[in-house]
Amino acid sequence: MSIGKRRSIGIASAVALAGAVGAVAITAATVGTASAAANNCGYLFDDFNYSSSADAALTSHGWVPRTYSGGPGVPGATWSASSISFPASGGQKVLQLTASTDGTGGGTNQAELYTSQKRYLEGTYASRIRFTDAPQSGNDGDHINETFFTISPLNGDLDPTYSELDFSEYLPNGGWGETGPINYQTTWYTYRNEPWYADNVHSEQRQSFDGWHDLVVTVADGHVIYYIDGQQVGDHSGKFYPRQTMTINWNLWFIDTAAHTGGLSTYIEQVDWVLYAKNQVLTPSQATAQAAAYRSAGNAFTDTVDSSGPCVTPTGSATPDGPATPTDSASPSKSPTASPTPSTSTPPATNCAQAPEWSIGAVYTAGQTVKHEKSVNGDPNGPASGQGKHLWRAKWWTQGSEPGWTANWEDLGHC
């Protein structure tokens, strides 16, 4: 099964994104108040209290309703800002994505909301989401995909710095050759669109998720750990760990129209709130408590992601030293361009004279050192920053992550 044969280069690269942020550390956090001042490494919280997709506050808070054409989904489908709305549910306003199809490309409308800035990497992501099994109107059975994910641009086929975390892709009626309901968490290394080649690892749940659910994901110490309603459903590590900053996204789209019957069918997905705790590992209960604290304090929106920190690395954290184990499914398990894993029998270099130059295609394990001058914009093939070479030490297994632009490397100082 080719999990994720649903993204075209359009969704990964057509969005104008801001530059990546530098390497950061992770701290274990204790929360309970809206300020969380003692451990505040930076937060994003949004209660989605907006009037419409045209509300000036929505864009000023960094959200973009998608209007550009292209994949994923049905060729010829429309992505419309009017597919984003903010109705009341349970006494609170919620973000609502609406998608509909009459079985044709021209008669298909899909919805997406994403952040305008690509600045999210390590830390805790949480969102309360309502998945739906049945359409709001019309015949049921369409291959609809209800999602929550983070993503970076794909800079060419098999880009080794590509990063994408699919927190949930819920297919109530199945799709990609699978029957529904089925839910996926997929962590990406890279892919090629034509001919299709996917290098990722995924977890799955074959059950209904109709209704409201709390999704929490922690990205720290080389592991991406996924939770639904407080229960761990996936732990992905090794080379699949994200290598650059990403945007936060939700979208609702049709995998195909093969299962459509009758006239127009309309589906919805709702989002109650979203929380991102930069460089902090929160438990699911801490994440939902922090969101509740913001809401009870009457704070409908906060963003200190760029203004708070720094934090310190927690003790007792797991440090992986190799690719993900077979507990999750990888498809395929190795990139065709991956280099052999370097031997760990040789002690790592302790200075720049001994350390090799960093190579984008090489595999490095925890403790190995390289020398490298970071690029100016996080593009390893672009111009250098002018800051000179530094000595870098790998914090865990990594490949394709540029020192100075990802959290996979510790800066040991100027050469």
Side-chain angles (χ1 to χ4, degrees):
M1 176 175 59
S2 59
I3 296 299
K5 189 174 182 180
R6 75 275 187 268
R7 298 218 185 278
S8 75
I9 293 177
I11 191 169
S13 61
V15 185
L17 300 172
V21 297
V24 288
I26 299 294
T27 183
T30 301
V31 295
T33 66
S35 63
N39 297 284
N40 189 354
C41 308
Y43 280 92
L44 170 71
F45 172 76
D46 203 327
D47 203 18
F48 294 116
N49 188 21
Y50 303 105
S51 60
S52 71
S53 62
D55 191 331
L58 183 69
T59 53
S60 69
H61 288 168
W63 298 107
V64 180
R66 178 174 171 178
T67 57
Y68 64 89
S69 61
V74 178
T78 299
W79 298 84
S80 173
S82 63
S83 298
I84 303 295
S85 60
F86 299 91
S89 176
Q92 296 280 350
K93 282 197 170 184
V94 297
L95 160 66
Q96 179 168 296
L97 292 82
T98 302
S100 60
T101 186
D102 62 3
T104 68
T108 298
N109 188 69
Q110 303 175 140
E112 179 170 359
L113 186 74
Y114 59 90
T115 57
S116 60
Q117 291 185 296
K118 186 179 76 73
R119 56 177 182 154
Y120 306 96
L121 184 57
E122 293 190 307
T124 302
Y125 301 80
S127 188
R128 182 163 175 79
I129 298 178
R130 180 191 171 198
F131 296 122
T132 54
D133 279 359
Q136 190 178 48
S137 62
N139 291 347
D140 197 1
D142 292 289
H143 293 157
I144 189 77
N145 191 354
E146 307 171 23
T147 79
F148 174 37
F149 63 100
T150 59
I151 193 170
S152 73
L154 181 77
N155 295 314
D157 288 346
L158 305 178
D159 174 11
T161 67
Y162 177 71
S163 301
E164 179 182 350
L165 309 176
D166 296 331
F167 303 149
S168 269
E169 289 189 300
Y170 181 53
L171 282 56
N173 298 317
W176 297 319
E178 292 286 345
T179 57
I182 187 169
N183 188 48
Y184 294 111
Q185 296 78 41
T186 308
T187 306
W188 288 77
Y189 179 67
T190 192
Y191 75 93
R192 179 184 61 220
N193 205 47
E194 294 294 342
W196 179 253
Y197 178 90
D199 195 351
N200 58 43
V201 62
H202 80 274
S203 305
E204 62 187 48
Q205 302 83 47
R206 295 179 179 271
Q207 66 182 76
S208 171
F209 282 94
D210 188 59
W212 286 101
H213 299 278
D214 294 330
L215 275 60
V216 176
V217 180
T218 60
V219 181
D221 302 304
H223 286 261
V224 181
I225 302 179
Y226 299 87
Y227 301 89
I228 299 179
D229 298 329
Q231 299 298 309
Q232 182 176 320
V233 293
D235 182 348
H236 303 169
S237 61
K239 73 175 185 178
F240 303 102
Y241 194 73
R243 293 158 299 286
Q244 63 170 297
T245 53
M246 300 165 284
T247 58
I248 296 175
N249 309 55
W250 298 265
N251 62 18
L252 183 66
W253 53 278
F254 297 93
I255 295 172
D256 54 49
T257 57
H260 184 77
T261 59
L264 188 70
S265 295
T266 301
Y267 297 79
I268 64 169
E269 174 186 354
Q270 294 181 332
V271 183
D272 192 9
W273 50 262
V274 64
L275 175 79
Y276 171 68
K278 184 181 72 174
N279 304 337
Q280 300 171 77
V281 177
L282 308 184
T283 66
S285 60
Q286 286 175 325
T288 55
Q290 182 64 61
Y294 279 120
R295 176 173 280 177
S296 64
N299 189 346
F301 176 82
T302 192
D303 183 357
T304 59
V305 172
D306 295 331
S307 60
S308 298
C311 298
V312 296
T313 304
T315 59
S317 300
T319 303
D321 58 4
T325 62
T327 54
D328 294 296
S329 301
S331 173
S333 61
K334 287 289 184 181
S335 164
T337 58
S339 303
T341 303
S343 170
T344 57
S345 60
T346 303
T350 57
N351 57 56
C352 289
Q354 297 173 329
E357 295 281 352
W358 173 74
S359 172
I360 193 171
V363 173
Y364 300 95
T365 55
Q368 289 191 297
T369 53
V370 298
K371 57 189 172 190
H372 176 67
E373 180 177 359
K374 66 180 287 188
S375 62
V376 67
N377 292 316
D379 177 5
N381 297 314
S385 63
Q387 299 175 7
K389 291 182 180 180
H390 283 225
L391 183 66
W392 305 89
R393 180 166 56 207
K395 295 162 72 173
W396 41 71
W397 192 102
T398 184
Q399 181 188 30
S401 59
E402 185 189 5
W405 280 106
T406 72
N408 297 349
W409 296 91
E410 178 185 1
D411 188 354
L412 300 181
H414 197 279
C415 289

